[in-house]
Amino acid sequence: MRRARVRPAGVRDRFLASDPGLLRLLSALSTVCSVLLTLGALAAVDASVPTLVTGALTAMVSTVAITEHRPHDQALTLAAGVPVALVVVVIGSALTPYRVLADVVFVAVIFAALYIRRLGPRATTLGVFAFQLFFVTQFVGTRLAQLPHLVAAVLVAFAGSALVRFALLRSPPERTLVRLYQAFRLRLALMLDPLIEVAEGGPGTPRAERAADDLRRQAARLHAGALMIQSRLETGTPDRGVAATIQRRVAEAETAAERLAVLVLRLVWPAADIDTLTRHPTPVHRTDSRLDVRVAASLPALASKLRALRAAVRPDRSRPGRTDSTEAGAVGAKVCDRLLGHLDDERLSDAPSVVQDAVRSAGDFARALSDLHLTVDAHAPSLRDAPEAARSAKERDPQGSGPQEDVVREREVRHVRPTTRTALQVAAGSALAVVGGELLSPQRWYWAVFTCWVVFISTSSTGDLLVRGYRRLVGTVTGVVAGLALAALIGDRPWPAFALVALSVFGMYYTATVSYTLMSFFVTTMIGMLYALLHTLTPGVLVVRIEETALGIACGLAAALLVLPAPTRERTDRLLHEVLERLRAVLARSLAGLCGEPGGDLLGPARALDAALDGLRLAVQPLITPLSPLRSRRRTALAVLGLLETAALHTRSLAGTAELMPAGVRLGAEHCLVDMAGRIDRNLAALIGQVTGGGVDPVPLERGPGTTARPAVGGEGARAEDLRTTRRVLRHLERVDQSIQDLARTLGVPVRDDP
């Protein structure tokens, strides 16, 4: 009954959390509004259907191609795009009657559009403008005689895009960042919901196992939300100090939530090997072992604390324009204070150690949540003067750790830049697609070229290209069926067709980052409606669309295999090396801070580790897709990801412990800690050497004796807080150590059996 009452009330929360910052919704609405404004203005002067189609497609491109976050940068790019679009339209219209010459110029435009991406986002956008507008001229079949109307359509389209972007649906970076933070809070709350069900259901119940699977999905979405906040901090905050402060608090909240979830899962399933919440869905290990009586008795109280924590996270509903109201903030503060009291609660000494860990982790979560609320509530003009911002500025290293640093950089392969390689590959594939498309259908050859272009965008390896091409083909086939059915329903009426075009445009950009198959479906449906408007829609035309799409995918794949190929394994090995290097750097700095040495800032290296791990996760998607025929490589890739995520989780926890280390606590005297840290560093160095191919014979990794049960920090008079901190550090190190050894075995690197 409780779930039945919560679901209707949580529909809005889930919608807002599914689209952080409403970025997808605003992108789709902006595109549709730009298209409708353009069509309305052109229809008011009785423009022809080809002019309407040109204006609509130009409005769509000019709205979605701009990726800068600052309005000033967006305005400059939009202004620079007008002359580029006009020149391309003139050239494309002039070359339309000369098929061979138009083909050669089209391939040259494709190469240039991709080659100039090295110059930055503005050059990338201008390249997209050039490609798309040349494609429009070939798709519509424009002529020089239509040039006055085409120029007017382009100008109206850019004006409509500017009006929507800077007036009707204006979204300043600061407002976007606030909405992203609200979505992050919602995702924190939605992550606690299945965790409460796990604690209430207990082991062996289908409800708890379903909730555990949902918990993993929510954790992945929480991580994605944190990365989205990272990407907007530079433009949405007044200075680097504010950005670093907010990023630090977001990272602490995410790490605390993930650690709490792992401890609760480990509490409920004690015999299961649960070290992390993997980003890829994995089932909970079933176990027939019974819970300890004292642990089972503590589950209702733990669930009650989690519900209280959920109430503190949940944003106020009475004032949707604010992140928190006075009343909700007061209630949340009381809940957080009560949970924070458990960090030093002596009464917890009577509970089993696993329960103590879970309750104290809830206290850590409450502390991170409280710090996050205080930081973001202080944001606005006065945040730069807030104590948190001042402390963050002191904690940064001299070079700073702003959010613009530490994105995963693509290393050069064979001394060729990635932009150059991609430009050459797409140009070669497009040339093949032009020849094959002309042979297949002289009137519709451009679809093969367009497919070759789009399947290469955002791909980085041959396997990625193959998966993307397959998804596009599936979306195209289903879109053809839908297009024919809708065309039969609307007949020769133009305005229903334009309405369906608008709906397809909305669906295309609303689903673009969610499902490439769905996006391809809406693209093909839109094309069917455009053909209906041009009175050229027949089943044969859409069948040719499928054939040209398949041809474009094949040409792109052939170019990827023959022209400076970038195999999936080669890329994943590079990114694996990147992850291990950054993991080693975070461990070194964290341990330096724990031992009282100046370790420097931890925010930048931890963020770099997350970015590298996300890059690896994306790179191995072709290997872990269920359609992959290489089952052994799929299992290996999943195992490597899981082990790296485990190591990254405990490394981030170490970094958080180091930053929160009380001034009087020093762990340098713990010999077991020093020995384990040294062994982990040597093992990582050996593993990195093997991944990069630096050694002929694999160097066996060292295997240690494990952690001590009772570390003796400071002798007999050691404080309980010091002991707890040391035990936590040792547990994290032990997990990292075991993960590195298991990773070595998975990759075929031997590990010594002798301690």
Side-chain angles (χ1 to χ4, degrees):
M1 294 299 293
R2 178 178 298 149
R3 290 288 293 177
R5 288 195 299 270
V6 170
R7 279 176 180 168
V11 170
R12 178 177 176 273
D13 286 357
R14 290 183 178 273
F15 172 75
L16 295 176
S18 67
D19 184 13
L22 299 179
L23 297 179
R24 287 165 41 217
L25 180 64
L26 287 174
S27 174
L29 284 177
S30 297
T31 307
V32 171
C33 289
S34 298
V35 171
L36 292 179
L37 282 176
T38 302
L39 291 177
L42 295 176
V45 296
D46 295 325
S48 63
V49 171
T51 303
L52 290 173
V53 173
T54 301
L57 292 177
T58 303
M60 184 170 61
V61 173
S62 62
T63 302
V64 302
I66 298 176
T67 58
E68 289 101 334
H69 296 158
R70 292 188 178 92
H72 178 263
D73 295 335
Q74 296 173 2
L76 290 177
T77 301
L78 196 63
V82 174
V84 172
L86 292 176
V87 169
V88 170
V89 167
V90 171
I91 295 175
S93 300
L95 295 177
T96 299
Y98 309 101
R99 187 72 277 128
V100 176
L101 184 58
D103 293 345
V104 173
V105 173
F106 198 8
V107 173
V109 169
I110 290 171
F111 176 82
L114 290 170
Y115 186 79
I116 64 174
R117 290 194 304 172
R118 67 179 63 190
L119 302 179
R122 182 166 299 148
T124 300
T125 301
L126 296 179
V128 173
F129 285 163
F131 168 81
Q132 295 282 11
L133 268 297
F134 198 99
F135 170 80
V136 167
T137 62
Q138 306 308 300
F139 171 68
V140 179
T142 59
R143 296 291 191 272
L144 283 177
Q146 302 170 304
L147 204 54
H149 301 287
L150 296 176
V151 169
V154 171
L155 293 176
V156 169
F158 272 87
S161 176
L163 180 62
V164 171
R165 181 181 298 274
F166 301 117
L168 298 182
L169 293 176
R170 181 173 177 270
S171 183
E174 298 81 5
R175 188 184 306 167
T176 300
L177 184 60
V178 170
R179 286 198 298 261
L180 286 172
Y181 166 67
Q182 292 172 339
F184 184 77
R185 287 187 63 182
L186 287 170
R187 289 188 171 186
L188 281 173
L190 293 175
M191 185 174 173
L192 286 173
D193 286 339
L195 195 61
I196 293 170
E197 289 198 28
V198 168
E200 290 179 341
T205 62
R207 173 189 175 189
E209 293 182 358
R210 287 194 302 269
D213 291 336
D214 187 26
L215 178 65
R216 288 178 167 86
R217 288 190 292 270
Q218 296 298 341
R221 292 169 184 167
L222 180 70
H223 181 68
L227 293 180
M228 294 179 74
I229 291 176
Q230 287 182 22
S231 67
R232 299 279 176 160
L233 281 174
E234 183 180 1
T235 56
T237 51
D239 56 37
R240 295 179 64 184
V242 172
T245 301
I246 294 178
Q247 176 51 39
R248 190 183 306 277
R249 300 305 165 228
V250 168
E252 289 172 357
E254 181 195 358
T255 301
E258 191 168 0
R259 182 172 181 272
L260 174 61
V262 169
L263 290 175
V264 172
L265 290 180
R266 196 180 298 165
L267 178 71
V268 175
W269 285 280
D273 186 18
I274 300 176
D275 286 326
T276 186
L277 298 174
T278 54
R279 309 294 184 221
H280 41 272
T282 53
V284 174
H285 298 278
R286 295 178 180 271
T287 175
D288 296 328
S289 61
R290 295 180 179 274
L291 284 180
D292 180 85
V293 175
R294 292 193 301 160
V295 172
S298 68
L299 284 179
L302 178 61
S304 176
K305 290 180 174 61
L306 293 176
R307 284 193 296 271
L309 192 57
R310 171 65 170 84
V313 176
R314 186 174 184 172
D316 178 48
R317 295 178 179 277
S318 62
R319 304 184 187 181
R322 296 183 58 183
T323 58
D324 204 33
S325 69
T326 304
E327 296 82 1
V331 173
K334 291 180 180 178
V335 173
C336 288
D337 288 342
R338 189 163 58 250
L339 288 171
L340 284 171
H342 288 302
L343 291 174
D344 300 307
D345 195 343
E346 296 297 335
R347 292 173 297 177
L348 288 177
S349 59
D350 297 332
S353 60
V354 289
V355 177
Q356 293 183 37
D357 289 341
V359 174
R360 290 196 178 98
S361 181
D364 289 335
F365 185 101
R367 176 167 53 195
L369 181 65
S370 178
D371 290 344
L372 180 63
H373 288 352
L374 289 174
T375 299
V376 177
D377 289 343
H379 181 48
S382 60
L383 179 58
R384 67 184 67 198
D385 299 324
E388 285 292 330
R391 191 181 79 174
S392 174
K394 293 179 181 178
E395 291 171 345
R396 296 198 309 271
D397 54 22
Q399 288 74 28
S401 57
Q404 76 279 5
E405 298 177 2
D406 290 322
V407 294
V408 178
R409 296 181 177 85
E410 181 72 44
R411 298 189 175 188
E412 297 183 7
V413 182
R414 301 178 185 177
H415 306 291
V416 177
R417 289 191 180 187
T419 50
T420 304
R421 182 179 64 244
T422 302
L424 290 171
Q425 288 178 334
V426 180
S430 298
L432 292 175
V434 167
V435 176
E438 290 279 8
L439 294 175
L440 185 62
S441 174
Q443 292 78 30
R444 313 293 177 204
W445 61 272
Y446 42 76
W447 287 125
V449 181
F450 186 82
T451 300
C452 184
W453 164 281
V454 296
V455 296
F456 260 106
I457 300 300
S458 301
T459 59
S460 53
S461 65
T462 306
D464 198 8
L465 177 66
L466 184 60
V467 172
R468 192 179 180 89
Y470 163 78
R471 291 172 178 170
R472 184 170 185 84
L473 187 59
V474 171
T476 299
V477 172
T478 54
V480 163
V481 175
L484 288 173
L486 292 173
L489 289 175
I490 64 174
D492 294 330
R493 292 169 291 180
W495 290 111
F498 273 119
L500 288 173
V501 168
L503 289 176
S504 298
V505 170
F506 179 88
M508 184 193 326
Y509 291 104
Y510 190 74
T511 60
T513 57
V514 177
S515 170
Y516 189 70
T517 302
L518 278 177
M519 188 194 74
S520 301
F521 166 81
F522 285 114
V523 168
T524 306
T525 303
M526 179 192 70
I527 290 169
M529 295 303 98
L530 292 178
Y531 276 134
L533 288 169
L534 296 171
H535 304 290
T536 57
L537 179 66
T538 63
V541 168
L542 292 182
V543 169
V544 170
R545 157 81 173 159
I546 296 176
E547 295 172 346
E548 294 278 357
T549 298
L551 176 64
I553 295 170
C555 292
L557 186 60
L561 291 172
L562 298 176
V563 180
L564 300 176
T568 302
R569 179 161 187 173
E570 183 177 300
R571 174 169 168 77
T572 54
D573 285 348
R574 279 200 318 275
L575 291 175
L576 176 59
H577 173 268
E578 187 89 21
V579 172
L580 293 175
E581 287 279 13
R582 293 182 173 181
L583 182 69
R584 189 183 181 193
V586 177
L587 279 171
R589 290 200 179 193
S590 301
L591 292 170
L594 289 169
C595 295
E597 301 173 6
D601 177 66
L602 290 172
L603 178 62
R607 185 175 62 249
L609 173 60
D610 281 341
L613 191 54
D614 281 341
L616 178 64
R617 191 178 298 111
L618 291 175
V620 300
Q621 288 302 311
L623 299 178
I624 65 176
T625 178
L627 298 175
S628 174
L630 307 174
R631 312 310 292 180
S632 61
R633 291 187 66 185
R634 182 174 186 269
R635 288 192 296 269
T636 300
L638 287 171
V640 168
L641 273 183
L643 291 168
L644 286 174
E645 286 168 349
T646 300
L649 168 65
H650 291 285
T651 300
R652 288 196 304 269
S653 297
L654 276 174
T657 303
E659 289 207 329
L660 296 174
M661 176 72 71
V665 179
R666 290 292 180 269
L667 306 181
E670 272 303 315
H671 297 294
C672 58
L673 185 148
V674 175
D675 293 343
M676 188 181 300
R679 183 174 63 255
I680 292 175
D681 186 74
R682 290 190 297 271
N683 285 346
L684 277 172
L687 192 56
I688 290 169
Q690 295 303 317
V691 169
T692 56
V696 178
D697 297 324
V699 178
L701 271 64
E702 302 177 36
R703 181 179 177 184
T707 60
T708 57
R710 295 181 177 274
V713 178
E716 297 181 356
R719 297 179 299 173
E721 181 182 1
D722 299 354
L723 292 172
R724 285 199 302 269
T725 302
T726 304
R727 290 194 181 98
R728 175 184 295 183
V729 169
L730 290 173
R731 282 197 299 269
H732 288 317
L733 280 176
E734 185 179 37
R735 293 291 182 179
V736 173
D737 190 18
Q738 188 61 48
S739 299
I740 298 302
Q741 294 178 32
D742 290 343
L743 179 62
R745 296 186 184 97
T746 303
L747 297 176
V749 179
V751 179
R752 293 196 189 103
D753 292 331
D754 297 334

